[in-house]
Amino acid sequence: MNATSKDLKLLTEAAERAAASSRAAEPDPYRLGFHVQPPTGWLNDPNGLCQKDGVFHAFFQYAPFNADGGLKLWGHAVSRDLLSWEYLPAPLFPDHPFDVNGAYSGSALVEDGRLELFYTGNVKREDGDGFDYVTTGREAAVIRACYNEATGLVDTKRVVLTNTDYPADDTLHVRDPKVWRLACAEAERAAKAGVGPYLMVLGARRRGDLPESTDQGGDAGEVLVFSSADKRVWTLANRVSTPKRFGFMWECPDYFELPAAPAVKILSVSPQGLSGAPWDALNVYQAGYFTVAGDVWDAAHPCAFGDFSLWDAGFDFYAPQSFEAEDGRRILVAWMGIPDEPAYGNDPTVARGWQHALTVPREVTVAADGSVRTWPVREVEALRGSLDEGGDVFSAEGEPACLFDLEVAPQPGEQRLQGFYALVADELELSYNPDAQAFTLRFTDPSRASAGCGRTERTWPVGELEDVRVLADTSSVEVFVNGGAAAFTTRIYPKRVSVNVEAPGARISFWPLKA
Ligand code: FRU
C-alpha cells in the first residue's frame, strides 16, 4: 500500500463505522436482507464475481464517501450461500497514476489457488483543456492484480494493456475486462489459430465519422477480444459487433457458454444509446445478450449474432456479470440500479447515506425449448419460512411480507395461468395483458415522493403466461415470468408492506423469507 491507499482505507473504514453506528441507533427500513448493498455510500457494477474454495466473492464498484457516487474503489463481500454476505474491508483503491481517477469494473480468474483480478484503470485529465473525454483527456488501461487473502488487499498491480493497444479507430472508451480460460476442445481449436488459452473481452466505443442519422453514422458499440498465452502479454484477436450500429457504447461485456445440445454461446453487453421502439419506452441504457454462432475469437471466420434479448425489463438492472460456480452453475448478478436516469431514483436511501444494491444471484440455463432463462439461485429456498397456500386469491401484510417469495403456478394439469394481477405495497401493480401477451410493472403514483420514487411503467412481451414468481426484499422486487424467460426488477420504498394477488385458477404459494 502507498500513502494514498493507506489513507483511503482509513477514511473508508471510518465512514463505514459511522454508518453502522447510526443504523444501530436508528434502524433503516430499506436495508436489504439478502442482497449485496454498500456498507455506506454508493455501489454500482458487480466486479470479480467468483467462487474459490467454496467461498463466493462479490466485489463491487464502490464510492463510500457519497451516496450519489464519486471516486470508485472496489468493495468486497463474501458468502457461502450467495445470500448472507459478510462485508470485508475494501480491497482495491485508486492509488497509482494509471488508476488515479477510479478503479473501474473488472473480473476475476481463479487458477492455481490464486484469485487474480483484471480491471480498468480510469484516468481523466484535468478539466479546462477543452477535453471531450471521449476522444481526448482520458485513459483506460487494463490492470492485472492479485487478491491477497492474507491481507485482504489487491496488490501487485501491473498494466497489461493501454489505449495504444486498442484499435486506432476506437475512442478512449474501452473498459471492463472480463477474462476466462478456454476449456478443452475449444482451447485446442483456438490453439491451432494461435489464440488462447486466456481470453479477455473489453467493451468499446468505435469512432463513427459519418453523421449520427445514417445507419452506420455516429460512434458504435463493439467488443474487443484479446488473447494471451500467459495472462501478461495480450494481443487483439478479434473485434465483434452487430452488422448495423447498435448503440454508441457497449459496457461490461461478458462471454460464456451454456450447456445444452448444442451449447448456447452468449455474448452479454450493456449497450448505451439505443433509440426508437422499443428502447424509448424502456430504461435509459439496456443490458442484454446476443446468442453467438461461431467463435468470438476467430477473426478468420466472423461469428454471427442472434437478436438482442434483454436480461431484465424492469427499472433497475444494469452491467450484469456472470461466473461459473464450483458446481458448474452459471450465475449472473447485476447492478440493481441504472446510471444517468434523472426521472427516478432512490431518494429514501440517499437520505440515509447509501444507494443501490446488487440483484439476487440468478442461475442462467437453457430450457427444453431452447430459450435462455434466469432464475433466483436455489439457495433462496432455504430462507423460506412456513408455506401459506392460497387458492387463486391471496393477501398478506405486515412484517413477514417485507421479505417474501411468491410462486403463482397453474393448477395441476393446466399448462398456463388464466390471468394475473398483483398489488405490492398498495402501489406497485404487476399484471398480464392476454391480448398483448405482455407483462407490466406499474407504479400507481408516478411522483418522486411515492413508493416508486419516480418510477412509472415497464411493459414487455412474454408470450402466453405460464407462471410468475415474485421475490421481495424490503426495498426490492424481482419478478420472474414463465420460468425466468422474462424478468423485471425494481427498487421500491413502501410505507406499508402488503401483497394482494388475483390469479384465476392458479395455485398460489407464499413464503415469508428469513434473512
Ligand atoms: C458501468 C460502468 C463501467 C465502468 C464503471 C465505473 O456501469 O460505467 O463501464 O467501468 O461503471 O464505475
Side-chain angles (χ1 to χ4, degrees), residues 16 84 93 101 103 112 152 159 164 182 227 235 237 247 251 400 432 473:
E16 291 174 348
S84 69
F93 300 92
N101 299 113
D112 303 330
V159 175
T164 55
L182 288 172
S227 154
T235 49
E251 293 193 311
Y432 176 69
D473 181 0

Side-chain angles (χ1 to χ4, degrees), residues 42 44-45 47 61-62 70 72 103-106 120 122 138 175-177 249-252 270 272 285 318-319 335 338-339:
W42 160 284
N44 57 299
D45 313 353
N47 292 157
Q61 287 286 284
Y62 186 27
K72 300 291 164 60
Y104 272 16
S105 285
T120 298
N122 177 52
R138 206 166 182 140
R175 56 179 171 264
D176 310 333
M249 168 71 189
W250 290 1
E251 293 193 311
C252 300
S270 292
Q272 301 186 316
Y285 304 138
Y318 193 66
W335 170 21
I338 190 92

Side-chain angles (χ1 to χ4, degrees), residues 341-353:
E341 174 51 76
Y344 61 86
N346 306 288
D347 308 352
T349 71
V350 173
R352 290 167 170 85

Side-chain angles (χ1 to χ4, degrees), residues 355-379:
Q355 183 166 206
H356 299 310
L358 301 184
T359 64
V360 75
R362 302 170 183 189
E363 185 177 353
V364 192
T365 55
V366 180
D369 66 359
S371 65
V372 174
R373 302 189 171 198
T374 63
W375 195 245
V377 290
R378 58 174 171 263
E379 283 83 347

